[in-house]
Each structure stands twice: as structure tokens, then as C-alpha cells.
Amino acid sequence: MASLSRALRVAATCPRRSRTRGLGLRALTGQAGPAAEKSVPYRRTLKDPQGPSTVARGPSQPLPSTAHVVVIGGGSLGCQTLYHLAKLGVSGAVLLERERLTSGTTWHTAGLLWQLRPSDVEVELLAHTRRVVSHDLEEETGLHTGWIQNGGLFIASNRQRLDEYKRLMSLGKAYGVESHVLSPAETKALYPLMNVDDLYGTLYVPHDGTMDPAGTCTALTRAAAARGAQVIENCPVTGIRVRTDDFGVRRVAAVETEHGSIQTPCVVNCAGVWASAVGRMAGVKVPLVAMHHAYVVTERIEGIQNMPNVRDHDASVYLRLQGDALSVGGYETNPIFWEEVSDKFAFGLFDLDWDVFTQHIEGAINRVPVLEKTGVKSTVCGPESFTPDHKPLMGEAPELRGFFLGCGFNSAGMMLGGGCGQELAHWIVHGRPEKDMYSYDIRRFHHLLTDHRRWIRERSHESYAKNYSVVFPHDEPLAGRNMRTDPLHEELLARGCFFQERQGWERPGWFTPKGTAPVLRYDYYGAYGNRMHEDHAYGRLLGDEYTFDFPPHHDVIKKECLACRGAAAVFNMSYFGKFYLVGLDARKAADWLFSADVSRPPGSTVYTCMLNHRGGTESDLTVSRLAPGPQASALTPAFEGDGYYLAVGGAVAQHNWSHISTVLQDQKFRCQLIDSSEDLGLISIQGPASRAILQEVLDADLSNEAFPFSTHRLVRAMRLSFVGELGWELHVPKPACVPVYRAVMAAGTKHGLVNAGYRAIDSLSIEKGYRHWHADLRPDDSPLEAGLAFTCKLKSAVPFLGREALEKQRAEGLRRRLVCFTVDEKVPMFGLEAIWRNGQVVGHVRRADFGFAVDKTLAYGYIRDPSGQSVSLDFVKSGDYAVERMGVAHPARAHLKSPFDPDNKRVKGIY
Ligand SMILES: Cc1cc2nc3c(=O)[nH]c(=O)nc-3n(C[C@H](O)[C@H](O)[C@H](O)COP(=O)(O)OP(=O)(O)OC[C@H]3O[C@@H](n4cnc5c(N)ncnc54)[C@H](O)[C@@H]3O)c2cc1C
């Protein structure tokens, strides 16, 4: 028996093994490594004691010839998806598992479920999983899933970490998740074996717990089968048959196995680390990597029974209660990639590499000192999939209609399984998930990235290594940078631009007066023999952002904002998506796709939303009607019929593209969607002096009469504003970007023109009350709830996607409403804060920032009436409000209109 401290010593004295070689797969009963014993939990319930694969015996049931849906993979995600499909009434859904249920990653999971994460959607997903395993399944099947509610304890060793926990606690109040911030002494009373000498405090969540994989999957499949679903084990999928429909669209036709095929229009790829291989069968890119992930199980520890599970984020370790012992695991900076994913790996584990695992031992012993003298009973090191942004891959693949993903779960596939299974089922049955699943939707990634090996590998590595890092509001990745740059990149870098990364694009964040801050090649934080960058400007500036206070460069962003309000600022927004929608049916398509009337005379530009059939907002964008022309130019393609130019936020360009393409395919509109994002730059000049500056650069007459707000001209100059000022966007062919930018800067100097970035846009736009898609405007928010009724042509008779849902919502009354709050105390807020009204929590903040012209923090959140009534304007006006930040309630004022320039004078050029 090896004790943890002995393992530490062994690892320290052992010659270093290569981390990528010599780690062959081993069967459960394989050779012992430094840990003496390698039995694993659940062996008795799931492992075939005879050893060899049972696949040879053939499928556990005959295959049906057709199925409405085929789920591939019988792990947590496959079983949850099947169960929720059956619950939604899908008859005869089939799950095909290559070996036995849970035989991939699921069987050896630690099974921890923590209810609080820094995302409102994830809190809801986790709550659903918890409901399913702790209540629903038992009620439906009479089987106990193995759910244990022993509570969860998050450890804070410094103030910032405790601040993060306090943020979680405030968010939890909006969702009824009980949690308590404990002092070190209170923590000791709760967990007597814990060392609390170095603690700042803890967050205790009494209703957290642990899921049992075998019990959960058995109950899920039993409940699904009772509703008509079929589970077929020992049946590997070997191919996906695809057909091309009359409109040239690729669609799923059938699933092939060694034992026959099943015709189906819908496949769900829940194949865990094997999902990339299954994707390849269908020509679908699945951007994930497989890595080793491990924990060790200790011998019995006296007094540990009934203790809560522990996450010591600063030490990067977790301690899970396992009966009268602990499982100890964590996240390393040098995880081992599983380079050649084998398809002969059922109920398998890797040898634990103690060189890698040792880094967790010191932290674990420090937290629970009795571990130093406790033996290691077994080691559990298995494969798990990790993705570039540490979020799962879900939804319909852009390459193939009817092919859904439910994979890439970044060591959270048990706790997220129920919520995600439910959303996937909804997606398949109703065409959309119920919640806002944008962060998980495979269509969030730009198609250039989804098979870019370096990007996927670097980003997945960084995400793994930072899994337990504090989630700061303004963090940026260091991995996978400089993938996509625009012509102004070098120019702006030389002027002190601090870049942010969005979907591979480098976009300006803000401008430092302290010289240049280039992003360096990714150094893997020194892992795998890479030399770590020691001191570099970008790293230093990013490090300064690691705070929940105002960052040290708050005043730099203030200068950018106030220059824009007082003179003018230039924003490089070249990373925007720029699409043309043209063709014979383009007008019909535009009428159907866009909530606003965009079919105005050529030259007009309209701010509009695109909705889903439930009236949720899939996008907000500007649409410019084009004059018809048979000749192509640098700015307009040749087209017949009608034509529109669409400008959409760069981070969400792929999502917009996919949404439009899907609607065009579903409605069979005869038109083309053309992507010109890489051909055009976008330079925006905003502020009272913008007209004077541009008048020196452009030939056009820029007066209010000749160039009114919300119109555009060639070179495509659009009079628009994202920040609430007089301003123009110049959509310029890429080769012209640098000369145009230089001319603007030369003309602007005497007017006080400054460079500004997206941090200034964030602040200026919230101050003006403009929405940010995917923050205060999401697919689960309707434009009526978001105060954007003016973008909906409800007074016209024109049908549009989502119209019926909006009409119903209007008739029934709004159950929630987006409200602007200002907070007089100068405290920073970032979103997730709880909103109190008359002593009750009525919502949480979706988006917050500091507004420099109003000199206040502004926060936007949707509020509800706790009595369940609709939220009238009187309800909004009549309450006493406070916004709770880190457990402290700050008095707040609710506004029905933006507190800055409520009469919209400035965008009209009236100063
Ligand atoms: C050490 C460790 C600890 C963890 N701890 C936690 C935790 O505490 N909490 C938590 O929430 N998560 C945890 N996880 C993560 C969690 O276990 C996984 O995210 C989850 O089990 C993944 O489930 P899955 O269904 O996506 O994949 P899998 O369980 O791997 O299921 C995929 C299935 O697909 C099958 N398959 C593959 N190819 C084919 C084919 N061609 N035809 C048919 N079938 C096929 C496989 O046989 C497999 O059964 C942990 C993971 C590890 C490794």
C-alpha cells in the first residue's frame, strides 16, 4: 500500500518518464504502477469479470429497420438524451452502444455535482440534472440512482477567490440554491479533519452531492424503455449514410452497424472521446481532444464519513467523499493527451502517471493532513474529452442536417448530463433548445477553426489547465491567438492596442499608453518542455485585469469613452460578419427572417432582430437594402432580384450564418447567402466631431439632410451608432483599410479623435441602453421582453418567423421585462448579481458596466413578479430596488428609458 506522501517521495526520486510515451492502455487488472492496488469502483456492477469484450456476442436486441432518432453512445449523455427524448414523446428512439452501457468514460467518473457555476444557464442545467437523479428517476422507476447528498464545500485561500464565491452565492439566490459563506472556524466545525489555518473562508452548498454512474444510467434507460425507447448494446456504429436532397442539402439517411443498418433522419453523436471518429463517418468536424484525467482512492479515513465534497480551487484539487474514504483528483498544467484514441477501450483505464499526478498531493495533504498517512487503495485514470473553450459541443452540425452533437463535456458530463440531455431532446423535437444554449452550440465556432489542429489543441490545453482558475470578467486566452487578424492589426498594435480574442479574431480591447503589447506564441505555461515567457507586456496587462474591482486601467477606458462623447473615437470593427443575401426570393426571405421591415428603398439601413419560432431573439443586426445591379463591384455582388447587406457582430457571425442558412433551407427560398467578412474591413468613427472629420476624408455631403441617420452610401458609409453618438461606419475593401484609417486619423487629430476598443464600446453602449446579443438579449428573450418592440413589424400584416409567438406573448402579458438599474455607489458590477425588489429576489443582472458620462454603474436584468403575474410598467416603477454584489445589497434605481440621452438626440446629430 502506498501512502499519498510516499507517492510524492517516489515521484520526486523517480527518473522522469516521458509524458507521452510508455503509457499504454491497460485492462482493469493490468500491471500495478507505484500505487499498489488498482481495483476500481463499480467493478462489481459493470465490469465483465470474464474480461474479454462481449461485442463478439452480437447486439443485445435485434435492430429495427427504421427509427425517428438514433443516439450513438451509452454513456451519461446518450442515456440522458434517450430518456428526455422518450419523455418528450419521441416513439421508438434507439440507443446504440458499441460495448456495454457506461463502458467509455462514464463508468469511472467521480460523479460530483456542484450546483453553482458562474453562468445562469449552467445553474439551471445543473438544477435539472439534480432533479432527475435525486427525484424524478426514482419516482418513475422505483430504482435508487445512487444519488448522495453530502453537500459541497469550496475553499478560498485568498480574497479574490472568496469574492468569486460570494458572486456565486448572490446568483444562487436568484435560483433558490442555498449556500453559505463560512469563516475558517465555521468550516472547521463542519469538517473537523480540515486544515483551516491558511483559509480565507469557504462557500458551503448543502444540497450538492454525488451521482452514481451505473445507477443513474440504469434508471435512465429503464425509464426510457418504459416509454418505448430501445437500448441496443454490443453494436458499434460503423458508418453514417448521407443523402443530398433536391435543394443540394446534405441530410442524414441511415446508421450502419456490423449487424445491419437503421434508416433514420436524425442521429445524435454522444460518443464521448470517440465522437470525432463518429463525426468523421459523416464528414462532420468535432473539435475536441482526448486527455487523461485521474483521481486516486484512499484507504479508510476515520472520521471522514458524511463530510461534504471539497473543491480547493487554489490548490487545483478536489476531495470527493467515497464511503469512508476520499477520492483525490485535480487539474494539472501538463495533462497527457491521448493521441491515438483506440476503439478497443471498454471499461479501460490508463496507468496513472505519478509524475503528472504528484502536483495534487501536496495540496490535498495541506487541506486534509490525515491524508499524509493514508494509503492509496486504487488509481483511476481514464480518458475524457476537452474542448477549446471548455464548453460542450451540442446542436445540429453545420455540415449535415439531422446530425446532432452531444459530446465534449470537459469533466462535467455527469452533472451537466441531465440538463444537456433535456436541451438536446428539445432541440431535436422542436428545432431549438428551450434555454439559451449558444455557449454550447457547435455553431458558435467559426468553420475555419473547427478542424484547426493547433487552435483546438492549444485552447483545449489552456482550458484544462485553467479549469479551477478564478473566472474573472475580463480574462482572455493566451492560447490559439493571432489566428485571424485584419489589415489594421499591425497599425493598431503599434499604437498600443491590447487585443481581445473572439472566435479566432483579434479585436481591439483598449489602448494602453505604456507601449506595445503583442500576444506571444503560446508557451503551454511551461509544460511539455516549452520555455515559459517570463515577463511580457500582454501578460502583465492581462494580469492586472484579474480583479473584481475596477482594473488599474479603468481611467484609460474612461478617457476613450469620454473622448467619444466629447469629440470622436475611431473603432476598428473589421472582424464583423458581413453577408449578402441576394436572389429572386431574397425579399421573401428578408421579410420572413427579419422582425423589422427591411425592404425599404435602396440606401436605407435598418436595425432588426432575427427570431426563432418561439419568439426568442437569435440575433440583432443591421440590414441595408441594396440597389439592384447586374455588375459586381468590390462592395456589391452582381445579383438578380433583391439584395441586402447584413452586418453582424463578429463573435456571433457563424451563429448568424447558420441560423439564416437553416431557415433558407427549411423554407426553400431561392436565394444566396454570400460571406464577404474576409474581404471587407469596418472602421467606425463616432462622436460629435465625426462629421467634421469625415467631411475632410469623404467626397459625400454628410449633412443631416443629405445623409440622414440610418442610411448608407457607396463607398459603403453607414450612418449608424453602437455607442449613441453621431457617427458613421465605413465598410471598406480590405486593401483600402490602412489608407482610409490613416486619412481619418490625420484629419481627426485636431478634433481630438482617439483610438478606442471594445471595452469602450461595452461601456458606451450600456450607457445608451443598446443591447448586446448574448448578454442582455438571447434566444430565450423575446424582443418584447427586451424592450425592442420597435424592431418588430407587428403593425404590418407581413408574416415573419416568431410573429405568432410574439402576438401570443403580447396578448397574455409579459412575464418578465428587461430593466435598467443605476447604482449610485461606485462599485464595479459585471453581471450575475441578484436583483432585489421590496425585499424579494426578482431576477439577476445579465450585463453591467460603468458608464463614464453618467458616472455610475449600470446594470441590466430581467425581472419577474414573484406572485407570477405579468410584469407591468407600474410594477417596474413602483418597487424599491437593490442590486446584491458579493452578498452586499446596494440601493439601485430602476429606469424605463436609458438614463443617457433618453430622447435620442445625439444619434441625430443634435448636440
Ligand atoms: C477521472 C474522471 C473524473 C470525472 N469526474 C467527474 C465529476 O465529478 N463530475 C462530472 O460531472 N463529470 C466528471 N467526469 C466527466 C464525466 O465522467 C464525463 O464527462 C462523462 O462521463 C462523459 O459521458 P459521455 O456520455 O459523453 O461519454 P462516454 O461515457 O465515454 O460515452 C460514450 C459512449 O459511446 C460509445 N461509443 C463510442 N463509439 C461508438 C460507436 N462507434 N458506436 C456505438 N457506440 C460508441 C462508447 O463505448 C461509450 O460508451 C470525470 C471524468 C473523469 C475521466
Side-chain angles (χ1 to χ4, degrees), residues 105 149 195 304 368 408 520 525 581 689 709 713 763 790 821 889:
T105 292
Q149 185 180 297
N195 162 33
I304 206 72
V368 178
L520 305 183
Y525 295 86
L581 177 67
F709 181 64
R713 304 266 186 287
S763 161
F790 71 92
F821 297 94

Side-chain angles (χ1 to χ4, degrees), residues 72-78 96-113 235-238 270-274 278 281 293-295 318 380 382-384 406-407 409-416:
I72 303 174
S76 167
L77 266 299
L96 298 179
E97 163 55 43
R98 186 180 61 196
E99 236 267 356
R100 302 261 300 278
L101 290 183
T102 75
S103 61
T105 292
T106 296
W107 73 286
H108 64 262
T109 185
L112 295 156
L113 186 149
C235 188
V237 170
T238 51
C270 295
V273 295
W274 298 273
V278 171
M281 294 176 194
H293 186 50
Y295 58 84
Y318 65 80
V380 177
E384 169 65 335
C407 50
F409 272 84
N410 302 289
S411 69
M414 292 307 297
M415 59 182 134
L416 287 172

Side-chain angles (χ1 to χ4, degrees), residues 511 559-573 683-690 693-694 723 725-728 741 744-745 748 751-757 760-761 764:
F511 286 79
K559 273 192 195 138
E560 292 178 15
C561 291
L562 294 183
C564 182
R565 295 274 184 243
V570 56
F571 301 91
N572 174 27
M573 299 164 74
I683 302 167
S684 183
I685 299 95
Q686 300 286 326
S690 58
I693 295 166
L694 280 177
V723 295
E725 297 294 337
L726 173 70
W728 278 265
Y741 170 78
V744 168
M745 290 308 283
H751 296 281
L753 178 72
V754 301
N755 279 300
I761 292 181
L764 292 162

